[in-house]
Structure formats: structure tokens, C-alpha cells
């Protein structure tokens, strides 16, 4: 909200995501902050994107929660991350897999998306077998409709694998 003097943008995005029934859309509300009796501004209090039964529910059998961020920021924060061959850095918030396994999954997605025929030459899987298209389209449309200038650069893109039978990667929460 620092760059939005109306304080409406993020609230509208979160409310839109909930109305669109996007999984794990965080609840939020405006809060007038007072410290020691002095007004310190209007803030948007929001649930955190994290692995939790009432937030992003991952099974014990596997799954992960990652976000696409700038590699330089991840390195300076000294947080766990993986990187694909094309240089996409993904912060690892939670994973039951080791780094090599998780990187392999994401490399397969990247290979398929970048392949002319949409198929990863290593695994033989088409990109439609690797990602949940509905969730990826919804996240893309929200970023486009609401003019998200941070798309792909900061922790604006979250992805998870809820270890469902499809084995697909879901985009979200917003």
C-alpha cells in the first residue's frame, strides 16, 4: 500500500480472488494504527501466505510452497531457494523434497513451457500435465487486470503442490 494513496488496490485484489474462489485467498481488512495514542496511518492487515491447515494445506506425503523472487534478494536474505537453467529463482518456504528433486520438478515445467511442442524432452510430459492451467490463468489475469508492476520480480507469484493425484503445480495464493 506504500505506493497506493487510495489504499484500495491490494484490498480489491484480495477480495476479487476470494470472490473468484481462488484457493487459499488471504483474508484482509483495513486497520487504523495508533501507537501510544498517536495515529500512525492506515494499513491492510492480511493473512500470511504459509503452509498451515487453514492457509495453504499441504499433505504430509509431499508438496511444497515456493515463490518466484529476485535471486539477489534471496541471496542477501540467505533464505533457501532453487534456480532453473533459465535463471528463475524460487524461494522455498516449505518442501518435503530435497533441493535436487524440487529443482527437477521445476526444470521439467520450464523445459515444457519453453519447448516448441510444449513437451519436456527429459520427462516426456506436456506442460498441461505439469501445471494446473485454471489456477495459472487466474493468477495471470489478476496480475494483468490489476496492473501488478511486481509480477515476476518480488514475492508476488506463489506456487504450491498439494500432492493431489494429478501431480500438477498450482499458482497461488495471490
Amino acid at each position: 500500500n506504500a505506493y497506493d494513496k487510495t489504499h484500495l488496490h491490494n484490498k480489491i485484489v484480495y477480495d476479487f480472488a476470494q470472490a473468484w474462489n481462488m484457493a487459499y485467498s488471504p483474508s484482509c481488512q483495513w486497520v487504523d494504527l495508533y501507537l501510544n495514542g498517536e495515529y500512525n496511518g492506515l494499513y491492510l492487515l492480511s493473512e500470511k501466505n504459509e503452509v498451515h491447515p487453514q492457509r495453504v494445506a499441504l499433505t504430509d506425503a509431499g508438496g511444497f510452497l515456493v515463490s518466484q523472487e529476485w535471486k539477489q534478494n534471496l541471496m542477501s536474505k540467505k533464505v533457501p531457494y532453487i534456480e532453473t537453467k533459465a535463471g528463475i529463482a524460487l524461494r522455498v518456504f516449505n518442501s518435503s523434497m530435497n533441493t535436487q528433486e524440487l529443482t527437477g520438478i521445476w526444470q521439467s515445467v520450464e523445459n515444457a513451457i519453453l519447448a516448441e511442442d510444449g513437451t519436456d524432452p527429459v520427462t516426456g510430459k506436456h506442460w498441461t500435465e505439469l501445471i494446473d492451467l485454471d489456477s495459472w490463468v487466474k493468477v495471470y489475469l489478476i496480475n494483468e487486470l490489476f496492473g501488478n508492476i511486481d509480477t515476476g520480480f518480488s514475492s508476488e507469484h506463489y506456487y504450491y503442490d498439494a500432492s493431489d493425484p494429478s501431480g500438477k503445480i498450482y499458482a497461488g495464493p495471490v
Side-chain angles (χ1 to χ4, degrees):
N1 287 332
Y3 300 108
D4 176 18
K5 293 182 189 233
T6 68
H7 298 282
L8 294 171
H9 188 265
N10 288 339
K11 176 72 169 144
I12 290 170
V13 170
Y14 287 147
D15 289 351
F16 186 89
Q18 283 189 341
W20 213 357
N21 293 321
M22 291 183 67
Y24 310 121
S25 295
S27 296
C28 63
Q29 66 182 35
W30 282 299
V31 175
D32 285 315
L33 180 64
Y34 289 85
L35 294 174
N36 299 322
E38 187 176 320
Y39 182 71
N40 278 271
L42 177 67
Y43 290 82
L44 186 65
L45 182 64
S46 173
E47 292 179 315
K48 186 177 179 181
N49 288 334
E50 65 181 349
V51 175
H52 185 277
Q54 295 174 336
R55 303 242 172 96
V56 180
L58 301 180
T59 64
D60 292 336
F64 56 80
L65 176 64
V66 299
S67 68
Q68 182 180 345
E69 301 185 33
W70 274 344
K71 181 180 176 181
Q72 295 81 357
N73 289 350
L74 297 172
M75 290 171 57
S76 68
K77 293 177 187 175
K78 298 182 181 177
V79 295
Y81 72 95
I82 60 170
E83 185 177 4
T84 65
K85 290 178 183 173
I88 303 298
L90 297 157
R91 180 177 182 178
V92 180
F93 287 96
N94 186 290
S95 177
S96 60
M97 293 173 258
N98 65 41
T99 302
Q100 186 177 3
E101 291 170 317
L102 190 57
T103 303
I105 288 170
W106 280 96
Q107 191 59 57
S108 181
V109 171
E110 180 176 276
N111 292 346
I113 289 172
L114 296 177
E116 196 171 303
D117 66 353
T119 302
D120 175 13
V122 177
T123 65
K125 290 187 176 184
H126 193 266
W127 64 266
T128 57
E129 297 175 80
L130 300 168
I131 68 170
D132 174 69
L133 185 58
D134 288 343
S135 66
W136 284 55
V137 166
K138 284 181 178 181
V139 167
Y140 174 82
L141 288 174
I142 282 179
N143 284 312
E144 286 296 310
L145 288 171
F146 294 101
N148 183 358
I149 61 170
D150 293 326
T151 299
F153 297 111
S154 66
S155 60
E156 299 297 323
H157 279 277
Y158 284 86
Y159 303 95
Y160 65 94
D161 172 0
S163 295
D164 69 14
S166 74
K168 293 182 178 182
I169 297 173
Y170 292 80
V174 296

